[in-house]
Amino acid sequence: MVNYQEDLREQIKRKYEEKEHTVVKIALVGQPGAGKSSVINKLIGKNIFKSGVYTDTTVKSQEVSWRDLRIVDLPGYDTKRFPFEDWCKQFSVEDYDLYLFVFAGKLHDADGKLFKKFKEWNQSRKHPYFIVRNKEDDIWDGERTLEELKKEIIEDVHSKVGAKDIKVYFTSCKTGTGFKELKNDILASDIDDVKKGKIIAAVKADSIKDLDRKRAKCLDDINVYAWATAVNALNPIPGVDVSFDLAAFYKMAKEIRESFGLDETVIEKYMIVLGPVGKQLADKVLAYLTKEGIMWVIKQVAGKYATKQFGKYIPFVGQAVAACAGFAMTKTLGEYYIDNCFELAKEILEYEVMNSKDKMKK
């Protein structure tokens, strides 16, 4: 039994450390003026890159961190300054977890070299790549249909790669075309599950399906969160037999909110326009916004968890009943908080969709 308990504790500890220290490295490459910054901004749902900054004309990469994503806009390749192989080595291009190639004009032989590298790296290390033809709304020819022009672009990509199994995504930052498909395929790729979870948490939810993904990701993390709050039993709560790491619980609540895109500004903005239901949900979410608020919630329910009936959690946190109760309480309050954040984010999404339709009618 002791070995079994230790194995479970070590397993959760490894998950916690992996979750804490994993960063997803995303390479953003392609043609100047193709809208690389706009594409990543659209996926994230926030202007983390300034549009119009073309790193292809510089000798440095532009790097931005967002949550646990590290997105690097790489400079141009196969130039006099950066012959292709030198560029790969100097910028450690092989080391990225995921690649987004964005273009809006004619492809060149250098792009074909890069596509072949993408395919090679994906086959050897399961690091997916996505080829995006942006500015679909600008594809036009008076003598051919859009579908004919798209087919020609796809065939050009296939000829550069030397394979016909490469998917090309057609997107428009103006209309939003193609981003749902691109996002779904990124999240369905073979990237490591922990890294996929980081991407799910970071990208904007544009549908109920996106919110469902975020909810499932947060629920999957609950045991890890609960282990962190209870394993060290750092903060005994006065008056009840529960030990608790308040800082870890606060961090958990913050990560859950961020995953659903709920910062204080967003919550306060929408609690006014969503009516009584929205305000009620917003109040529940805001209760976890400060350590003082969390402590108030904990004290309301802590007594329920200071009993031996939670001994089933002992394999995770050891024999200390107080820490065991903290683990059980974290699971319950964490799941409750996830549900509240999900429902508030859902109300906001439905409001935005309805508001957007009303504007289009006008």
Side-chain angles (χ1 to χ4, degrees):
M1 176 64 74
V2 174
N3 289 337
Y4 173 68
Q5 292 176 7
E6 289 299 321
D7 287 345
L8 285 173
R9 291 174 67 182
E10 284 302 312
Q11 181 181 350
I12 293 182
K13 182 180 178 182
R14 284 195 299 272
K15 280 188 175 182
Y16 176 77
E17 290 176 347
E18 187 177 19
K19 177 182 175 300
E20 286 298 292
H21 300 299
T22 296
V23 174
V24 185
K25 296 168 61 181
I26 299 176
L28 190 60
V29 291
Q31 300 173 345
K36 290 183 292 179
S37 299
S38 298
V39 167
I40 199 68
N41 289 344
K42 188 77 173 176
L43 284 170
I44 297 298
K46 189 177 181 67
N47 292 330
I48 60 173
F49 273 103
K50 292 182 180 179
S51 298
V53 179
Y54 304 141
T55 60
D56 307 72
T57 63
T58 73
V59 296
K60 295 181 180 179
S61 56
Q62 181 189 7
E63 180 178 321
V64 173
S65 292
W66 172 248
R67 307 276 170 78
D68 290 316
L69 307 186
R70 184 158 69 87
I71 306 165
V72 182
D73 190 356
L74 295 168
Y77 47 86
D78 211 30
T79 62
K80 287 183 179 180
R81 184 181 293 274
F82 294 124
F84 185 74
E85 293 298 334
D86 291 347
W87 176 81
C88 288
K89 291 177 183 177
Q90 181 164 336
F91 295 100
S92 303
V93 183
E94 186 176 352
D95 295 337
Y96 287 86
D97 299 303
L98 184 147
Y99 304 90
L100 278 174
F101 178 91
V102 183
F103 71 107
K106 185 175 177 58
L107 293 171
H108 305 286
D109 291 340
D111 300 324
K113 292 179 185 179
L114 186 57
F115 295 164
K116 289 173 183 176
K117 286 288 188 182
F118 285 162
K119 189 172 183 180
E120 175 188 324
W121 295 332
N122 186 42
Q123 289 173 341
S124 62
R125 301 185 341 274
K126 299 296 182 185
H127 289 188
Y129 62 98
F130 300 87
I131 298 175
V132 180
R133 201 314 185 170
N134 194 32
K135 301 186 180 181
E136 184 201 48
D137 46 299
D138 285 345
I139 300 175
W140 181 84
D141 185 322
E143 298 181 354
R144 289 180 292 172
T145 66
L146 177 60
E147 290 307 311
E148 289 173 334
L149 294 169
K150 282 185 176 181
K151 183 179 178 181
E152 182 180 296
I153 292 168
I154 293 170
E155 288 174 350
D156 189 25
V157 170
H158 290 170
S159 69
K160 293 292 188 296
V161 183
K164 294 186 177 181
D165 59 345
I166 307 301
K167 189 170 184 177
V168 180
Y169 298 85
F170 291 87
T171 62
S172 168
C173 294
K174 290 180 182 178
T175 65
T177 298
F179 282 96
K180 182 178 180 181
E181 181 182 18
L182 175 59
K183 184 194 302 179
N184 285 339
D185 283 0
I186 288 173
L187 297 178
S189 65
D190 289 334
I191 195 169
D192 169 84
D193 286 343
V194 174
K195 292 176 180 177
K196 187 179 292 187
K198 301 282 188 179
I199 298 173
I200 290 171
V203 299
K204 182 184 178 183
D206 294 314
S207 66
I208 301 300
K209 183 177 180 179
D210 289 342
L211 290 178
D212 285 334
R213 285 195 190 105
K214 289 178 178 289
R215 184 175 182 275
K217 185 266 178 189
C218 290
L219 288 172
D220 192 50
D221 285 340
I222 281 294
N223 273 349
V224 177
Y225 286 133
W227 178 88
T229 60
V231 71
N232 294 320
L234 296 177
N235 302 100
I237 299 175
V240 292
D241 189 18
V242 175
S243 291
F244 206 73
D245 184 345
L246 181 61
F249 193 97
Y250 176 78
K251 186 173 186 294
M252 175 196 77
K254 183 173 182 289
E255 288 186 9
I256 291 170
R257 281 195 306 277
E258 286 180 347
S259 180
F260 285 100
L262 299 173
D263 61 29
E264 189 172 4
T265 303
V266 170
I267 297 170
E268 291 180 347
K269 172 185 175 182
Y270 284 97
M271 69 186 300
I272 298 171
V273 300
L274 291 177
V277 173
K279 187 179 185 308
Q280 186 179 32
L281 287 168
D283 287 340
K284 291 177 180 178
V285 173
L286 286 170
Y288 289 66
L289 202 66
T290 65
K291 291 181 180 179
E292 292 76 17
I294 291 171
M295 184 58 74
W296 182 86
V297 173
I298 290 168
K299 284 183 176 180
Q300 305 307 305
V301 299
K304 301 176 185 178
Y305 295 88
T307 68
K308 292 183 180 180
Q309 66 177 300
F310 292 98
K312 62 183 179 180
Y313 294 105
I314 286 176
F316 291 101
V317 295
Q319 298 296 325
V321 174
C324 175
F327 182 93
M329 186 169 64
T330 301
K331 279 180 65 71
T332 301
L333 291 180
E335 290 167 357
Y336 176 70
Y337 195 56
I338 290 167
D339 287 342
N340 285 329
C341 287
F342 172 87
E343 291 299 332
L344 179 57
K346 182 180 175 183
E347 290 284 333
I348 292 172
L349 176 63
E350 290 175 346
Y351 174 85
E352 288 181 339
V353 170
M354 183 175 63
N355 201 41
S356 177
K357 289 180 179 178
D358 289 341
K359 284 182 178 179
M360 288 179 66
K361 288 179 182 177
K362 294 177 181 179

